[in-house]
Amino acid sequence: MPQTSIFQERLTAVRHKLPEWEVDGLLIASPSNRRWLSGFSGSNGQLLVTANKALIATDFRYYIQATHEAPHFTLFRHQRTVEDTRNFLAEAGVPRVGVEAKHTTLEQMDELMQVENITWVGLAKTVEPMRQVKTAAEVQSIQKAAAITDAIMAQVPQIARVGMMEKAVAWELEKALRQAGAEALAFDILVASGPNSALPHHHPGSRRLQAGDALIVDMGAQVDGYKSDMTRSFYLGEKASVPYFELYQLVMRAQTAVFQQARPGMSLKAVDALARDVFARAGHAEHFGHGLGHGLGLDIHEDPFLSPRAADEDTIEVGTMVTIEPGCYLPDWGGIRLEETALMTEDGLVPLTHCPKEPNIV
Ligand code: ZN
Ligand code: ZN
């Protein structure tokens, strides 16, 4: 578990932001933001932070856990009633409170509106930008998750066999990840074969693997709440077909260009363009339809997003964890994606996933 002092630092950072957000308090209910700020990993709870108070409300199931995991927060015993919500908020004694616009439902907002004497201010982002740059402990957890994913990805050529259903391959990989030490999957494993591999977010189904198929496996492990993410592409056969092999090389070149040229301080857009330009020069611009990558940590998709739609002024900084996942998808034919989890350092991107890139499965 990370040292408690990091949570003190984060609390201080949030308090410094309150004037900028034009609020006297902040209510945090989203699980990842709550865990990042307090250390509390339970499924139910709310944080309320003001200039001089740090409160955590949770229900009976978590009283002891919250006391242990979030020692910098004062426990408020919540029985999940509107009356308790009112008392909890009265405890803070502040008139303007920020609420997470992205993570608050209409139902929750309705309950908050019943509390007298508080003006609610919807904030598009609260601690998300602070979560981008990882601490050494966070990097270590992601490294462990990446190593597990690496080891199991290397077994795909032994696990995936012609005649197996996609979902059977996914289940074998899931068991292997758990046996190798993953506390959970980072997300549902993606196994896409044949024409399905042209669908970047295909859900593994009953299609059976056939000789000559393109195959995409996208998976990640979770350790200490932190996620890893990795994709490899394979060809089912002794020797990949010429078009498959050429496309595979193209995706490799796009990924290599990013690892060679991305530097801290570059705009997110410019990093994305490093790969996009490689596809465009090869006449495949329209076959790379998604962003180059995404931040990851407590969430599998978090800030920053490497995309042509990123704001011009948003940059990638030292300590940011991102995926680099160029892909090329030809409708009805198949697709190829290669994805690493990588850390931005002073010298550029360093991959945390290393499993060899070999297009053939015998
Ligand atoms: Zn992925
Ligand atoms: Zn990803």
Side-chain angles (χ1 to χ4, degrees):
M1 215 211 298
Q3 331 79 316
T4 47
S5 65
I6 188 69
F7 296 111
Q8 249 161 345
E9 280 173 34
R10 288 172 180 170
L11 204 47
T12 305
V14 165
R15 284 176 170 146
H16 281 146
K17 280 279 182 187
L18 296 178
E20 189 183 311
W21 293 330
E22 299 182 333
V23 295
D24 325 291
L26 177 65
L27 186 69
I28 296 264
S30 76
S32 299
N33 285 345
R34 186 178 66 215
R35 183 167 181 172
W36 181 86
L37 184 54
S38 70
F40 175 60
S41 65
S43 69
N44 175 272
Q46 290 184 309
L47 307 180
L48 186 54
V49 177
T50 71
N52 50 28
K53 284 187 179 147
L55 305 168
I56 183 167
T58 188
D59 65 56
F60 175 78
R61 295 170 296 166
Y62 295 118
Y63 292 163
I64 294 168
Q65 184 183 339
T67 317
H68 287 168
E69 289 184 336
H72 299 294
F73 283 74
T74 306
L75 177 66
F76 180 94
R77 292 159 194 263
H78 203 298
Q79 310 286 356
R80 301 179 109 167
T81 63
V82 178
E83 194 50 39
D84 274 352
T85 300
R86 199 173 279 131
N87 292 336
F88 174 54
L89 293 161
E91 195 87 8
V94 289
R96 272 176 78 84
V97 180
V99 59
E100 301 171 285
K102 265 192 184 169
H103 306 288
T104 307
T105 64
L106 278 175
E107 191 181 59
Q108 289 162 337
M109 204 56 233
D110 209 41
E111 190 181 310
L112 295 179
M113 296 297 276
Q114 293 180 48
V115 180
E116 298 90 31
N117 307 322
I118 289 186
T119 304
W120 296 101
V121 180
L123 300 171
K125 285 181 181 178
T126 58
V127 304
E128 288 89 347
M130 303 178 203
R131 285 170 45 191
Q132 283 189 43
V133 171
K134 267 59 184 179
T135 61
E138 289 176 304
V139 170
Q140 226 173 45
S141 299
I142 299 171
Q143 247 161 357
K144 283 185 201 158
I148 292 169
T149 314
D150 241 357
I152 304 310
M153 189 66 89
Q155 295 176 16
V156 170
Q158 282 82 53
I159 291 171
R161 289 273 164 233
V162 166
M164 267 176 97
M165 283 187 195
E166 292 173 344
K167 59 186 179 187
V169 177
W171 174 234
E172 291 302 322
L173 292 170
E174 179 166 349
K175 282 189 285 185
L177 284 171
R178 296 295 297 245
Q179 275 160 3
E183 68 193 11
L185 297 181
F187 52 91
D188 284 343
I189 296 174
L190 180 149
V191 176
S193 66
N196 292 340
S197 62
L199 313 171
H201 271 187
H202 172 68
H203 192 77
S206 302
R207 188 182 182 279
R208 291 183 188 275
L209 272 47
Q210 296 172 19
D213 270 354
L215 175 71
I216 293 183
V217 175
D218 187 348
M219 63 186 190
Q222 181 181 307
V223 171
D224 307 328
Y226 286 83
K227 282 129 180 115
S228 67
D229 191 2
M230 178 185 204
T231 306
R232 285 294 180 267
S233 292
F234 308 89
Y235 181 86
L236 287 161
E238 281 185 37
K239 195 168 183 297
S241 70
V242 173
Y244 184 90
F245 187 74
E246 281 174 358
L247 215 56
Y248 195 99
Q249 297 300 316
L250 176 66
V251 178
M252 283 250 267
R253 279 206 302 282
Q255 202 190 40
T256 306
V258 179
F259 276 97
Q260 284 178 344
Q261 298 169 56
R263 289 291 173 272
M266 269 174 88
S267 76
L268 304 177
K269 232 180 199 169
V271 177
D272 174 88
L274 293 172
R276 210 159 293 282
D277 290 350
V278 174
F279 289 112
R281 281 198 298 275
H284 282 292
E286 78 275 24
H287 297 139
F288 176 36
H290 56 72
L292 174 65
H294 51 88
L296 72 170
L298 288 171
D299 286 321
I300 184 62
H301 296 119
E302 58 181 53
D303 286 340
F305 290 90
L306 303 172
S307 152
R309 294 173 297 281
D312 288 325
E313 64 275 17
D314 287 348
T315 55
I316 185 163
E317 300 305 330
V318 171
T320 305
M321 194 69 76
V322 283
T323 66
I324 302 298
E325 49 180 306
C328 199
Y329 312 90
L330 307 185
D332 303 324
W333 179 83
I336 292 163
R337 178 166 69 252
L338 297 171
E339 175 181 30
E340 316 300 344
T341 294
L343 177 68
M344 181 53 91
T345 69
E346 296 283 355
D347 305 318
L349 283 168
V350 174
L352 270 61
T353 42
H354 307 280
C355 172
K357 281 168 256 206
E358 304 271 357
N360 308 321
I361 298 185
V362 180

